């Protein structure tokens, strides 16, 4: 997935998704930075991120040469046709311009091309942007709404995937 994003300033960025296919240890620092800017508790240790990069499916969103987003998937143990998506994040300064939606579309397209049939995820019930993107925009269905061990409400969601053409290229996006 690739397109151009033109800011109000007139600067244009080349936006693209990249699926991490070969292990590159330098990505550990980049992804950890995005994660620490995003979540109140770190998702990763060095070991778990290294393992996910090697054995899961990480997709990055780039604006020119800067990684501005990351998203990770592993296969469900119970249902290997199903992906578990987690820790999707866009760098704070790049949010609210439609990039998260396009990024998620790119991730879902990649999973469908790899033969995955569905995807599940969990999201904090108070995370309005994420609930909106998953449920309203992408049609994820709610499987459960539970209080976790920390007393926080988590919504469990699932969506069936459809096969899509390779190398989808979307039109331009303008944003302030
Ligand atoms: C969730 C996230 C990836 C969305 O990325 P984004 O680039 O901001 O998303 P978009 O600009 O494509 O907006 C997606 C939808 O959310 C809405 N939205 C964006 N920010 C919002 C906010 N703060 N409150 C409510 N809705 C919001 C948008 O209006 C849009 O809805 P629409 O399609 O009906 O217009 C990004 O906000 C993020 O990284 N958040 C922190 C990490 C996180 O919550 N990850 C998901 C849980 S794992």
């Amino acid at each position: 997935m690739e397109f151009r994003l033109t800011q109000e300033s007139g600067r244009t960025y080349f936006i693209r998704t990249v699926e991490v296919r070969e292990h590159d240890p330098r990505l550990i620092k980049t992804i950890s930075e995005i994660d620490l800017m995003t979540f109140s508790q770190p998702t990763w240790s060095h070991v778990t991120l290294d393992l996910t990069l090697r054995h899961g499916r990480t997709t990055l969103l780039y604006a020119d040469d800067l990684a501005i987003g990351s998203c990770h998937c592993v296969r469900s143990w119970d249902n290997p046709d199903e992906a578990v998506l987690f820790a999707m994040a866009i760098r704070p300064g790049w949010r609210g311009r439609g990039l998260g939606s396009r990024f998620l579309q790119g991730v879902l397209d990649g999973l469908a091309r790899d033969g995955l049939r569905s995807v599940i995820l969990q999201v904090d019930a108070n995370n309005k942007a994420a609930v909106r993107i998953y449920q309203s925009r992408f049609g994820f269905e709610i499987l459960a709404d539970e209080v976790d061990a920390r007393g926080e409400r988590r919504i469990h969601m699932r969506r069936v995937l459809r096969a899509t053409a390779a190398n989808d290229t979307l039109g331009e996006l303008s944003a302030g």
Side-chain angles (χ1 to χ4, degrees):
M1 189 270 292
E2 52 191 49
F3 59 93
R4 289 184 194 285
L5 170 73
T6 303
Q7 305 269 38
E8 267 177 2
S9 65
R11 176 155 182 194
T12 296
Y13 293 89
F14 179 54
I15 309 286
R16 66 201 158 97
T17 51
V18 174
E19 290 171 1
V20 178
R21 297 276 176 178
E22 288 184 17
H23 187 61
D24 177 355
R26 289 171 301 181
L27 290 177
I28 290 180
K29 185 163 178 280
T30 304
I31 293 168
S32 293
E33 270 174 17
I34 297 173
D35 189 72
L36 291 172
M37 280 180 210
T38 298
F39 297 108
S40 54
Q41 297 185 71
T43 306
W44 307 109
S45 72
H46 186 285
V47 172
T48 57
L49 182 48
D50 186 278
L51 282 167
T52 303
L53 282 167
R54 287 175 195 273
H55 304 295
R57 165 58 51 78
T58 292
T59 309
L60 298 175
L61 185 71
Y62 280 90
D64 295 339
D65 292 329
L66 175 69
I68 59 166
S70 57
C71 182
H72 311 272
C73 294
V74 293
R75 276 181 195 267
S76 159
W77 193 270
D78 290 336
N79 177 5
D81 289 336
E82 186 160 77
V84 184
L85 184 153
F86 63 101
M88 183 173 88
I90 301 282
R91 278 187 195 264
W94 293 85
R95 291 179 195 158
R97 308 169 191 199
L99 291 172
S101 304
R102 291 198 174 205
F103 185 34
L104 181 59
Q105 186 66 61
V107 170
L108 298 183
D109 289 348
L111 292 172
R113 280 198 298 274
D114 279 352
L116 276 293
R117 300 234 173 113
S118 58
V119 58
I120 54 171
L121 56 81
Q122 287 181 33
V123 62
D124 184 328
N126 295 313
N127 187 342
K128 302 243 176 326
V131 171
R132 177 149 189 87
I133 193 172
Y134 294 136
Q135 192 180 12
S136 308
R137 187 169 260 269
F138 281 85
F140 276 76
E141 288 176 19
I142 296 180
L143 297 176
D145 186 340
E146 295 176 354
V147 176
D148 72 11
R150 293 173 301 170
E152 291 172 6
R153 247 184 80 209
R154 308 277 300 167
I155 301 179
H156 300 239
M157 296 184 180
R158 180 171 186 270
R159 183 177 184 248
V160 173
L161 295 169
R162 288 179 294 276
T164 53
N167 296 322
D168 284 348
T169 302
L170 299 171
E172 298 216 349
L173 193 67
S174 297

